[in-house]
Amino acid sequence: MKHLFSSILAVGLLAAGAAGAAEFRLPAYESTRLPNGLTVILMERHEVPLIAVRAVVKAGAVNDGAQAGLANLTGDAILLGSEKHNKAYIDQAFDFRGAVLAGGSSTEISTVQANFAKADTGALLPLFAEIVQQPGFDAAELDKLRARKVSGLKQAKESPRQVAGTYYRSMLFGSGAYGNPAGGTVSSMEALKQSDVKGFHQRYFRPDNAAIVVVGDFKTDEMRQQISALFGGWKAEGPAPQSAGYGKVDASKPRVWLVNKPDAIETTFLIGGPGIARNDADYVPLQVLNTVLGGRFTSWLNDELRVNSGLTYGANSAFSPNAQAGTFAISSFTALPKTEAALDLALKTYNRLWDKGIDKATLDSAKAYVKGQYPPRFETSEQLAGLLGEMYALGFGREQIDNFMKDVDSLTPERVRQLVDKHFPRKNLQMVLIGKAADIRKIAAKYGEVTELEISADGFRPAQ
């Protein structure tokens, strides 16, 4: 969520400049489609002789089916070399030139990205095209990658804050695809084979399900020709994948998932419910409201749980949107004996949204804070390429970017009350607690119907 919002803020600095914040606009870009269905998005920027390119594929954990972690493994395995050149050759080609090659997958998106000097386009762009279209998936390299991922999954549960969000999404979306653990489980990752990875790539990495985004120092006509030459022969086999319904949040009654970690000395918790889709018209205004509640160091939640009470070292809240639906969560952690006090204070603070509301002075402060988040580190071609890729994959348009300042400035206390009532879940709150169940079981029962899980069990759902 933070990354997505930061990308939007980046554009404000680029477009506003000396003309003032009122001129907030997304820089011009071209979006076309090749005959094979590939979307090509090009944005010229000549400030520095650098180019950022990324392939964006509409595929992620929502497409794993029963093979949790398959998109994750495939996204990383693409970097293991192409059919023509092995991993060592490609790594050396990029490293020698000081270029960057990366990739991976998330809930709904798989990406391959590269950043390099303009002068190296002729050498590196063809290699980039190779690994996107014809990855080698070398068996030995894939085995090593899978083993590292299995080890990481085993270690992650030693740190509840690393896995709390995965339990939370699994709880809220249930059997819906949005509840799939993006990194998989130990057993599912161990079971994945080279043929599974190749099959996933063949099904989803296809021109009519992907976009190539290029931002940087180039001439649009010339770059369009290069992309067409490198990707125009990319062919899709069979019908294009369809975006099915990936699930909605189940908040029909207050529930608690109590994840038992017997050796825990802290309780990690998330509280919330349904959120918004990424293309929601209220996306930007909600960032302002959430800034007040839990989106900055001086937020209500951090002030109450950290500064005033000393119950935790930090507390925050966030909307986490996807293309079709999203979640909202308050998150923090506290010493085991202070679990009940921290939960009650978090809920009391959250209810200030309704009990007292956000006054004009607080709202003005949040507006200024949000509009002031335009640091230079967000004006790179890489960040803009990321934003354009997210717009393509998650289905939001430039109007959300171009209307940013207007949406922030137009917020009034009355509009705030409407947004709070509409988007912040108040009834039937959902809660995940990770801690020593023997000590917090009775506390958990205060907040809803309790389901207990063992953190040592494989996966992130209750045992069937």
Side-chain angles (χ1 to χ4, degrees):
M1 178 70 175
K2 291 180 180 178
H3 171 72
L4 296 176
F5 191 48
S6 296
S7 297
I8 290 180
L9 296 177
V11 185
L13 176 64
L14 295 168
E23 298 300 320
F24 184 81
R25 292 290 184 272
L26 180 65
Y29 64 92
E30 172 188 283
S31 180
T32 59
R33 295 190 73 183
L34 299 184
N36 62 359
L38 179 68
T39 297
V40 180
I41 302 172
L42 306 176
M43 178 187 285
E44 288 189 38
R45 298 185 70 234
H46 301 289
E47 292 87 348
V48 291
L50 298 174
I51 290 177
V53 57
R54 66 176 58 202
V56 182
V57 180
K58 294 180 181 180
V62 292
N63 305 110
D64 282 345
Q67 296 178 292
L70 179 54
N72 179 279
L73 182 61
T74 305
D76 287 349
I78 283 176
L79 303 179
L80 300 178
S82 70
E83 293 177 354
K84 296 180 180 179
H85 299 98
N86 61 24
K87 181 178 185 297
Y89 179 92
I90 292 176
D91 287 347
Q92 184 178 12
F94 277 82
D95 291 345
F96 176 76
R97 294 172 173 84
V100 174
L101 178 66
S105 72
S106 59
T107 302
E108 295 172 282
I109 308 173
S110 294
T111 60
V112 184
Q113 63 189 81
N115 307 310
F116 45 78
K118 174 183 179 180
D120 294 323
T121 302
L124 298 183
L125 193 56
L127 290 178
F128 176 86
E130 274 185 31
I131 65 171
V132 171
Q133 298 172 83
Q134 298 105 25
F137 296 130
D138 178 80
E141 293 286 353
L142 185 61
D143 286 345
K144 290 188 288 186
L145 174 62
R146 183 176 51 242
R148 291 195 298 270
K149 288 184 174 293
V150 169
S151 295
L153 287 166
K154 292 177 178 178
Q155 294 171 5
K157 289 198 173 186
E158 292 301 314
S159 178
R161 279 172 249 169
Q162 288 189 39
V163 297
T166 306
Y167 280 107
Y168 186 67
R169 288 186 296 275
S170 179
M171 176 191 186
L172 266 59
F173 289 107
S175 60
Y178 278 140
N180 293 348
T185 68
V186 171
S187 59
S188 69
M189 185 60 68
E190 287 179 334
L192 294 177
K193 300 178 176 62
Q194 183 191 51
S195 58
D196 298 320
V197 171
K198 288 183 175 181
F200 189 91
H201 181 271
Q202 183 178 16
R203 285 193 301 277
Y204 296 105
F205 282 69
R206 43 187 289 158
D208 53 358
N209 193 47
I212 301 298
V213 182
V214 191
V215 179
D217 190 12
F218 57 81
K219 296 295 184 182
T220 296
D221 289 344
E222 295 176 1
M223 181 57 70
R224 192 189 314 113
Q225 292 176 12
Q226 291 182 67
I227 296 299
S228 180
L230 292 169
F231 290 92
W234 193 8
K235 296 181 180 179
E237 296 181 9
Q242 301 298 313
S243 296
Y246 295 144
K248 296 181 179 179
V249 171
D250 177 8
S252 57
K253 58 185 175 182
R255 296 181 298 157
V256 181
W257 274 18
L258 174 56
V259 184
N260 181 37
K261 191 173 188 299
D263 61 347
I265 59 174
E266 294 179 340
T267 299
T268 299
F269 62 87
L270 290 94
I271 308 169
I276 59 171
R278 184 59 182 82
N279 64 355
D280 194 291
D282 296 327
Y283 174 81
V284 171
L286 286 176
Q287 310 315 309
V288 181
L289 274 60
N290 187 67
T291 292
V292 175
L293 176 64
R296 61 176 172 177
F297 186 79
T298 57
S299 68
W300 289 352
L301 286 167
N302 203 58
D303 273 351
E304 293 298 333
L305 272 76
R306 172 180 170 148
V307 179
N308 297 337
S309 67
L311 289 171
T312 182
Y313 287 113
N316 59 71
S317 61
F319 286 91
S320 300
N322 300 305
Q324 299 177 14
T327 63
F328 168 79
I330 294 167
S331 58
S332 189
F333 59 95
T334 191
L336 192 63
K338 299 179 179 179
T339 299
E340 188 171 13
L343 291 173
D344 286 345
L345 184 55
L347 291 169
K348 179 181 178 181
T349 304
Y350 181 49
N351 276 303
R352 282 174 60 183
L353 287 172
W354 294 272
D355 296 340
K356 296 183 178 180
I358 300 174
D359 59 55
K360 186 176 185 303
T362 302
L363 179 61
D364 288 345
S365 173
K367 287 181 182 180
Y369 177 85
V370 170
K371 291 194 295 184
Q373 298 303 295
Y374 300 147
R377 68 179 180 271
F378 290 138
E379 68 177 76
T380 66
S381 295
E382 179 182 1
Q383 290 291 332
L384 282 168
L387 173 60
L388 292 169
E390 289 159 1
M391 290 169 62
Y392 162 78
L394 298 182
F396 62 100
R398 67 172 301 149
E399 65 278 359
Q400 193 180 84
I401 314 302
D402 292 344
N403 293 332
F404 173 82
M405 281 294 174
K406 183 183 73 174
D407 287 342
V408 173
D409 288 335
S410 65
L411 273 174
T412 63
E414 176 58 31
R415 177 61 176 151
V416 166
R417 286 190 290 272
Q418 295 172 357
L419 290 170
V420 167
D421 288 338
K422 181 178 180 181
H423 292 295
F424 285 83
R426 189 177 190 184
K427 297 180 180 179
N428 297 333
L429 291 176
Q430 310 297 296
M431 185 180 298
V432 166
L433 304 177
I434 304 180
K436 188 176 180 180
D439 289 4
I440 60 176
R441 185 174 287 117
K442 291 183 179 180
I443 296 170
K446 285 179 52 179
Y447 306 104
E449 180 182 284
V450 178
T451 298
E452 291 198 26
L453 302 81
E454 292 292 331
I455 200 166
S456 59
D458 189 27
F460 301 91
R461 302 181 189 274
Q464 299 297 319

